[in-house]
Amino acid sequence: MRNVTAAPPLAGLRPSGLAEVVWDNARQDPEAVQFVRPDPDPRAWPARRAGRGGAVPVSCRQFRDEVQGLARGFVAAGIGPGDRVALMSRTRYEWTLVDYALWSIGAITVPVYETSSPEQLGWILSDSGAVGCVVETAEHAAMLAGLRPDLPALRQTWRIDSGDLIELAAHGRAVDEAEVESRRRAVTAADVATIVYTSGTTGRPKGCVLTHGNISCDVAAATAVLSQLLHSGATTVLFLPLAHAFPRLIQVGMVHNRATLVHGTESAGVLDQLRRYRPTFILAVPRVFEKMYTRARQAADDTHRGWLFGAAEIVAVRYSRAVQTRRGGPGPLLRLARLGFDVLVYRRLRATLGGRCRMAIVGGAPLGERLAHFFRGAGVAVLEGYGLTETSPALTVNLPSATRIGTVGRPLPGVEIRIADDGEVLARGEVVFHGYWNNRDATRDTFTDGWLRTGDLGSVDDDGYLSITGRKKEIIVTATGKNLAPEPVEERVRDHPLVSQCMLVGNGRPYVAALVTIDPQAWLRWRGAHGRPDGSVAELRDDPNLRREIQVAVDRANETVSRAERVKSFRILPREFTEPDGELTPTLKIKRDVVEGHHAAEIEALYRGH
């Protein structure tokens, strides 16, 4: 095992302002389709021409013109270089438009999740000193109105769905285009592009200050090693919130490469939109792939083809493992079996992604190893990567030509990774931020000798691949002094189709135990199969048959750890963990302290008598 892995920086890289490429694209290929707006709302932003099925394509030239028009509006409203403007909206075309319009005049975008509470919104606006705020809906506007008395710096607000951006652009016609041109050219790589507040599983969000250079370097590095994904002929449909650094990096990468980005809409289902727009790659959190697998398996069971899917799954996993571990790859019989199942099973699975998608990028949380092997064997390479908001965000990634499932890949160009003596992952490079906004103490604590302390635990193998084993702060220390990283065990339990979420507990306790929630769709099937047409999880969670099913999942997970680390007991909770209840971050990470507080009685029941 090594304790350092690195990749040399790209030669001749000269990062500039992020909006500069918008003008370059308009000059070099003005009619290339840069975006597709599904079912646009003309009250929010004009739609020039409708394409197939009501979707509106946006060319590189049109995007440049619209960015410039909105940028002139912001100038007319008094927004200057370095001013912070908050943006609270779901993922939509107008989000991207506002982002680039602000960047083009040297202003700083402060993203806010559309699901944020009044307390969270108020904190971000107050801490960042935002002078303006763009919100999406009447609900957002009402929330903001209630906070205005405590936000003296906030001068102006705009609401997307009421046409405020259209009116803002109209006011901008009085501003000379040369003013935007001058401001755009004045932006340098060292200027701040955005302040991204970490969704955080503990404490108040901290504002990560990212420069144009940080993000430009990350996009350039990703483009260099992922040219099979990020190129001018690529298409993706974006569903994840742009307030998160991971999808925002993809947004910038798509613009950088003149690829086509479709902003997914809530009015249609995810799978319907994938079939409609046929992306060449997708990006998602692991939960999406877990649900895709579960639904495919359930659909096979419903048509009495469960045996066929089970056999196809075994072949896919064996094929992928052979690709990774066997010299010369899979043998002829395994290749033949995979070819047969491709006709019978795998093609149907890929068709749910639109038919053209052969690669996916996954981040935000670890993906189960067996699930990754299954999808690769079925013809969809799931490329797992790793990074933090503080690193713009990508640090490492598996490549189509160099994938090692079970790891998060090797460093991107210009990134150095080191494993500290206590196992913490440290990072260094141009993608690493310089600090938190208005928080010198947190900034000081997050660096050691020039290295960013990620807070994650990991290891580096002999070929330079990084594996993440858990969060340093989430390590469980039992009463016997045994240390356990909970995530690997939780992943294994979640592999069971009935399980939605799993969280281990055991700090200061005699043994490790688990809180388990049930997947709603799998629950309906389980009830039907066991002659229980009625009844909620809350009513049936102590059913012996149900507990036996979950015990199987726990037993399989226990096989991967030592006896002292095994889960000795579990409780099936009456409901799932949710974001509105404060138990999940917007990227679906569990807020452990909140869950422990909400379910304290359940946890106590796990240790009653001990």
Side-chain angles (χ1 to χ4, degrees):
M1 302 291 284
R2 298 159 51 176
N3 70 342
V4 176
T5 182
L10 298 174
L13 179 62
R14 295 180 180 177
S16 59
L18 290 166
E20 196 65 35
V21 69
V22 175
W23 272 254
D24 292 342
N25 288 345
R27 285 191 296 267
Q28 295 171 18
D29 197 351
E31 298 308 315
V33 177
Q34 183 74 89
F35 299 99
V36 172
R37 298 174 61 190
D39 306 318
D41 181 359
R43 295 170 300 176
W45 190 259
R48 294 190 180 180
R49 56 190 175 94
R52 184 181 61 184
V56 175
V58 179
S59 69
C60 289
R61 176 163 50 200
Q62 182 182 341
F63 183 56
R64 187 269 319 272
D65 293 345
E66 293 185 356
V67 167
Q68 185 176 60
L70 189 57
R72 291 164 70 189
F74 280 124
V75 172
I79 302 300
D83 282 345
R84 279 81 63 201
V85 177
L87 173 53
M88 184 182 193
S89 169
R90 64 177 171 86
T91 291
R92 57 189 293 169
Y93 173 70
E94 292 83 358
W95 204 110
T96 301
L97 185 62
V98 169
D99 208 15
Y100 276 93
L102 292 171
W103 284 343
S104 69
I105 60 172
I108 299 168
T109 310
V110 183
V112 183
Y113 286 100
E114 59 155 331
T115 55
S116 294
S117 68
E119 181 182 357
Q120 290 168 329
L121 175 60
W123 164 250
I124 291 172
L125 292 174
S126 174
D127 186 65
S128 67
V131 300
C133 183
V134 178
V135 298
E136 180 181 16
T137 66
E139 182 182 359
H140 294 157
M143 182 191 301
L144 182 57
L147 300 170
R148 286 295 291 270
D150 298 319
L151 299 170
L154 188 64
R155 301 195 303 261
Q156 298 181 77
T157 64
W158 302 275
R159 184 177 136 200
I160 294 173
D161 67 4
S162 66
D164 287 355
L165 296 184
I166 297 175
E167 186 177 343
L168 182 64
H171 290 157
R173 295 187 190 119
V175 175
D176 197 311
E177 290 182 3
E179 178 64 24
V180 172
E181 181 81 6
S182 173
R183 294 195 187 191
R184 191 186 83 249
R185 292 189 178 279
V187 176
T188 70
D191 290 327
V192 177
T194 186
I195 303 173
V196 184
Y197 282 78
T198 58
S199 56
T201 55
T202 60
R204 266 185 164 174
K206 298 189 292 288
C208 301
V209 180
L210 300 177
T211 66
H212 287 261
N214 288 144
I215 299 172
S216 293
C217 287
D218 214 21
V219 167
T223 298
V225 298
L226 292 172
S227 58
Q228 290 175 261
L229 271 75
L230 296 170
H231 56 82
S232 59
T235 300
T236 195
V237 184
L238 194 62
F239 299 102
L240 296 179
L242 278 166
H244 190 270
F246 170 42
R248 191 138 171 245
L249 176 70
I250 297 300
Q251 168 196 271
V252 176
M254 297 297 279
V255 173
H256 182 84
N257 288 281
R258 291 200 300 277
T260 301
L261 174 62
V262 183
H263 292 86
T265 176
E266 295 177 338
S267 62
V270 170
L271 294 182
D272 288 341
Q273 292 177 79
L274 292 177
R275 285 190 288 265
R276 180 180 180 184
Y277 297 109
R278 305 183 69 234
T280 56
F281 76 95
I282 61 171
L283 64 154
V285 293
R287 188 68 182 140
V288 171
F289 295 98
E290 292 168 4
K291 287 188 173 183
M292 192 182 304
Y293 164 80
T294 299
R295 289 175 183 175
R297 181 173 175 174
Q298 291 173 351
D301 288 340
D302 289 342
T303 56
H304 306 290
R305 291 162 60 94
W307 62 272
L308 181 65
F309 186 89
E313 179 183 355
I314 291 171
V315 167
V317 171
R318 287 180 178 173
Y319 182 91
S320 177
R321 291 190 189 281
V323 167
Q324 184 158 306
T325 62
R326 181 175 174 177
R327 181 175 296 179
L333 291 179
L334 191 53
R335 290 178 182 273
L336 185 62
R338 181 180 179 275
L339 186 63
F341 282 120
D342 189 70
V343 175
L344 297 171
V345 178
Y346 307 148
R347 287 183 186 176
R348 296 184 182 186
L349 182 68
R350 295 196 300 271
T352 65
L353 299 175
R356 293 199 303 164
C357 180
R358 290 303 186 100
M359 285 178 279
I361 304 175
V362 62
L367 178 68
E369 190 172 332
R370 182 177 176 83
L371 201 60
H373 279 300
F374 167 73
F375 276 102
R376 179 165 70 172
V380 180
V382 181
L383 307 177
E384 196 166 359
Y386 168 72
L388 310 167
T389 304
E390 290 87 342
T391 60
S392 308
L395 286 171
T396 69
V397 70
N398 278 290
L399 308 179
S401 59
T403 294
R404 185 159 296 176
I405 291 173
T407 78
V408 292
R410 292 188 284 205
L412 290 171
V415 171
E416 296 176 82
I417 297 291
R418 181 162 70 87
I419 307 300
D421 292 341
D422 63 356
E424 184 174 7
V425 178
L426 309 179
R428 188 166 66 182
E430 291 299 318
V431 301
V432 176
F433 82 147
H434 293 290
Y436 297 106
W437 183 261
N438 285 340
N439 200 332
R440 291 184 179 179
D441 290 343
T443 299
R444 184 181 62 250
D445 292 344
T446 203
F447 285 96
T448 179
D449 298 328
W451 291 84
L452 174 74
R453 299 171 59 185
T454 66
D456 289 309
L457 299 174
S459 61
V460 176
D461 68 17
D462 291 338
D463 296 316
Y465 287 85
L466 175 67
S467 296
I468 301 298
T469 56
R471 288 288 293 169
K472 193 173 180 180
K473 291 183 179 179
E474 293 176 358
I475 291 294
I476 292 173
V477 183
T478 67
T480 63
K482 183 63 182 178
N483 289 13
L484 168 71
E487 287 187 351
V489 177
E490 292 166 349
E491 282 179 46
R492 294 293 182 128
V493 175
R494 287 202 312 269
D495 283 344
H496 193 288
L498 259 178
V499 176
S500 174
Q501 298 145 327
C502 175
M503 191 186 95
L504 300 194
V505 295
N507 265 321
R509 304 282 191 167
Y511 52 80
V512 177
L515 301 177
V516 176
T517 69
I518 301 299
D519 181 90
Q521 291 188 332
W523 172 243
L524 296 178
R525 291 180 47 79
W526 183 89
R527 279 190 347 203
H530 289 80
R532 306 295 294 268
D534 300 312
S536 65
V537 174
E539 294 166 334
L540 300 177
R541 60 180 176 148
D542 292 323
D543 182 281
N545 291 322
L546 178 61
R547 287 193 60 83
R548 272 195 291 271
E549 289 264 15
I550 302 306
Q551 188 65 59
V552 169
V554 171
D555 289 344
R556 287 175 179 167
N558 281 341
E559 292 173 359
T560 66
V561 294
S562 69
R563 185 172 301 170
E565 297 171 298
R566 289 176 185 170
V567 176
K568 300 294 194 301
S569 181
F570 65 87
R571 291 282 285 181
I572 298 172
L573 299 182
R575 63 171 180 83
E576 292 185 286
F577 307 141
T578 68
E579 188 183 345
D581 287 326
E583 296 162 337
L584 300 177
T585 72
T587 53
L588 307 183
K589 294 177 182 175
I590 295 174
K591 294 185 176 181
R592 296 177 185 270
D593 58 337
V594 176
V595 170
E596 287 181 4
H598 287 181
H599 301 280
E602 303 280 0
I603 295 172
E604 287 303 318
L606 287 165
Y607 297 99
R608 196 165 290 142
H610 290 272

